[in-house]
Amino acid sequence: MITFVRGGTVVSPTGSQLLDVLIDGESIVAVLQPGSTALAADLTESADAVVDASGKYVLPGGVDGHTHMEMPFGGTFASDTFETGTRAAAWGGTTTIVDFAIQTPGQRVQDTLAQWHEKAAGSCAIDYGFHQIIGDVDSDSLKAMSELVAEGVTSFKLFMAYPGVFYSDDGKILRAMQTAADTGALLMMHAENGIAIDVLIEQSIARGDTAPYFHGTSRPWQLEEEATHRAIMLANVTGAPLYVVHVSAKQALEQIARARGNGQNVFGETCPQYLYLSLEEQLGAPGFDGAKWVCSTPLRARAEGHQDELWRYLRTGDVSTVSTDHCPFCMKDQKELGIGDFSKIPNGIGSVEHRMDLMYQGVVSGKISLEKWVEVCCTTPARMFGMYPKKGIVSPGADADLVIYDPNGHTSIGLGKTHHMNMDYSAYEGFEIDGHVDTVISRGRVIVDDGEYRGSAGHGRFVKRSLAQNLL
């Protein structure tokens, strides 16, 4: 099938230009200057489908490098399946996700990856890949890391938090980093001092400070900064590339920026919730309402200036990507598990549908440029996770993953408006976006257009990834 996308402004990290895009089957075959009226007329006449992008932006499909569909947590599961979650992602202009297969102690790494393949196969509306969580670093797990790289799973996540569940001590982290350095794999880190945090949680509950607000105060920024610094030092010893996930504290980002300035392969990821939401306004909501925004790392105090600094680090490039850490839970029967004890609230926020819109609002407000929007949401995630140049760029040979974005449109976020995630509330209820996702194309197929979903479960394919492509 030949599709001709005409009249739009193609946006890349290096600039924006009026260009036409020609798609043949699942791939982009040409990006054309719009000067030839005769050629445009011929393509318009001969194409099977014509998409008029006049007055709109043409972007590479969004790449969300951090999601958790169907993730087990605290006796329940993330409420989005691979089917519902990837459909919601498509509505919001994301055409590729990288989810996490999870190994816990006693499981073979290869078996857990097989389980996640089974969950996703035939269910996804968009393309997907996997990171592998290593919850038990031993000789078998280290051997599996080397084997999985050849299977296109080239990034591995460890936790400095959650003792008794995912926690790895410094010795285990060192060994995993040595393996990552040997294989070229990317080592991802949840950087919080979980041992100290557990003490603060216990003390908070003993005092009777059990409301959702105290989830945030029991995970102070100092323990994120400390763990981030420790992870950077261990990576420096081993030579492993390090990707610090969901960074929320400006002090942790100072550590990342310093390491990058010294030439170390350290990368920071943040999420929309840390750019827009706060300890005071959301976690501190009346009653139990703050449970909607319980996630880890936690939302930080706006009065301390974390949000403004995160935007600044986006502009300087020290925040490399914006992902969602999409791990949704409903209030009823899930978040409510923590009534009277915040430590039992399932940790997670759902935002896979809203990332592209929320970050575009940063363009509108002057916090980032149009090109930076595409860089952190599309191109750099594709490069970081070994999918470039098939993903993350509008260029001949790339997969035909495109978003037609209307800067003159409008999006009202909230339940019953643009909310397609499997949740009974929206973390961004009432947010207004000065832009709109009009058309989404995944590998040449229009899956969202003019307010209508045209995709289907099973369209998405597993992406076998190469090594990270943007090391310093």
Side-chain angles (χ1 to χ4, degrees):
M1 179 172 173
I2 305 295
T3 304
F4 183 42
V5 181
R6 68 180 185 188
T9 299
V10 173
V11 185
S12 77
T14 57
S16 306
Q17 188 176 1
L18 281 171
L19 293 168
D20 298 330
V21 182
L22 186 63
I23 299 168
D24 186 356
E26 297 189 345
S27 301
I28 297 170
V29 293
V31 180
L32 309 163
Q33 294 285 346
S36 173
T37 305
L39 177 59
D42 180 61
L43 289 171
T44 300
E45 183 68 27
S46 61
D48 299 296
V50 177
V51 178
D52 186 0
S54 300
K56 301 175 184 179
Y57 299 129
V58 179
L59 323 173
V63 178
D64 190 340
H66 189 156
T67 67
H68 295 286
M69 308 302 176
E70 305 181 37
M71 177 180 172
F73 192 102
T76 188
F77 288 83
S79 56
D80 263 323
T81 65
F82 278 93
E83 181 176 357
T84 64
T86 57
R87 184 170 64 236
W91 273 106
T94 288
T95 58
T96 307
I97 63 165
V98 191
D99 207 84
F100 287 83
I102 302 172
Q103 181 226 19
T104 56
Q107 294 179 305
R108 288 181 71 247
V109 171
Q110 295 90 335
D111 292 342
T112 61
L113 178 59
Q115 291 171 10
W116 257 258
H117 272 297
E118 185 176 351
K119 290 181 182 183
S123 298
C124 295
I126 58 175
D127 289 351
Y128 62 96
F130 290 122
H131 312 289
Q132 177 68 54
I133 289 175
I134 305 294
D136 186 14
V137 179
D138 57 20
S139 57
D140 288 340
S141 298
L142 295 172
K143 181 181 178 183
M145 287 176 65
S146 300
E147 293 174 355
L148 262 57
V149 168
E151 297 180 24
V153 177
T154 57
S155 41
F156 300 88
K157 183 180 179 183
L158 272 66
F159 289 77
M160 299 170 120
Y162 306 124
V165 184
F166 293 129
Y167 174 78
S168 292
D169 63 30
D170 289 354
K172 291 183 176 182
I173 291 169
L174 181 74
R175 293 180 70 196
M177 285 184 170
Q178 288 171 335
T179 299
D182 289 342
T183 61
L186 184 66
L187 203 292
M188 309 173 77
M189 187 65 69
H190 179 133
E192 289 184 291
N193 186 325
I195 301 295
I197 285 170
D198 274 9
V199 172
L200 295 178
I201 290 173
E202 181 182 355
Q203 292 173 343
S204 181
I205 292 171
R207 289 193 303 269
D209 293 335
T210 61
Y213 175 83
F214 298 103
H215 168 79
T217 58
S218 66
R219 307 181 88 94
W221 61 260
Q222 290 92 337
L223 298 185
E224 184 182 353
E225 180 188 23
E226 183 276 330
T228 301
H229 175 73
R230 185 158 34 101
I232 290 169
M233 292 297 100
L234 291 169
N236 187 268
V237 168
T238 61
L242 174 66
Y243 180 93
V244 185
V245 299
H246 50 54
V247 182
S248 63
K250 64 182 182 181
Q251 294 86 354
L253 272 170
E254 288 172 7
Q255 297 292 332
I256 292 170
R258 184 175 299 114
R260 289 173 60 81
N262 291 332
Q264 191 173 344
N265 275 306
V266 177
F267 307 92
E269 164 201 276
T270 196
C271 309
Q273 55 264 37
Y274 305 123
L275 295 165
Y276 284 103
L277 309 178
S278 71
L279 172 70
E280 304 98 322
E281 296 158 295
Q282 276 75 40
L283 277 178
F288 189 67
D289 214 37
K292 296 175 180 177
W293 298 282
V294 165
C295 61
S296 299
T297 54
L299 305 183
R300 299 296 178 190
R302 192 175 301 280
E304 294 175 349
H306 297 280
Q307 291 81 2
D308 288 342
E309 282 295 280
L310 290 183
W311 284 109
R312 183 176 72 83
Y313 280 117
L314 273 171
R315 292 192 296 271
T316 63
D318 292 301
V319 172
S320 299
T321 66
V322 175
S323 301
T324 57
D325 192 11
H326 178 76
C327 192
F329 298 97
C330 293
M331 282 292 282
K332 184 173 177 57
D333 298 328
Q334 290 191 303
K335 293 284 189 177
E336 289 177 353
L337 292 169
I339 292 176
D341 183 350
F342 69 82
S343 70
K344 291 182 171 56
I345 300 171
N347 281 216
I349 288 178
S351 52
V352 73
E353 184 173 353
H354 303 314
R355 179 183 65 118
M356 296 295 290
D357 281 325
L358 290 166
M359 295 311 297
Y360 180 71
Q361 194 61 30
V363 177
V364 174
S365 63
K367 291 181 170 65
I368 57 172
S369 68
L370 187 66
E371 292 75 16
K372 180 64 74 171
W373 174 44
V374 170
E375 178 183 336
V376 298
C377 290
C378 309
T379 308
T380 298
R383 288 175 54 80
M384 184 72 67
F385 301 121
M387 296 182 285
Y388 186 90
K390 298 295 286 184
K391 306 291 185 185
I393 188 171
V394 180
S395 179
D399 286 348
D401 297 342
L402 298 176
V403 177
I404 314 303
Y405 199 89
D406 185 0
N408 298 309
H410 189 83
T411 303
S412 297
I413 296 180
L415 195 64
K417 296 177 182 177
T418 61
H419 180 138
H420 301 89
M421 298 173 291
N422 189 31
M423 299 173 64
D424 60 3
Y425 74 95
S426 171
Y428 299 94
E429 188 74 41
F431 274 56
E432 302 292 337
I433 305 298
D434 296 312
H436 188 265
V437 174
D438 278 5
T439 304
V440 180
I441 301 172
S442 169
R443 296 195 336 271
R445 177 182 174 184
V446 174
I447 58 174
V448 175
D449 187 48
D450 195 25
E452 180 184 353
Y453 178 70
R454 300 183 182 180
S456 62
H459 167 75
R461 293 179 185 165
F462 173 68
V463 179
K464 185 176 180 180
R465 299 183 292 115
S466 62
L467 300 177
Q469 298 160 299
N470 64 328
L471 300 188
L472 300 175

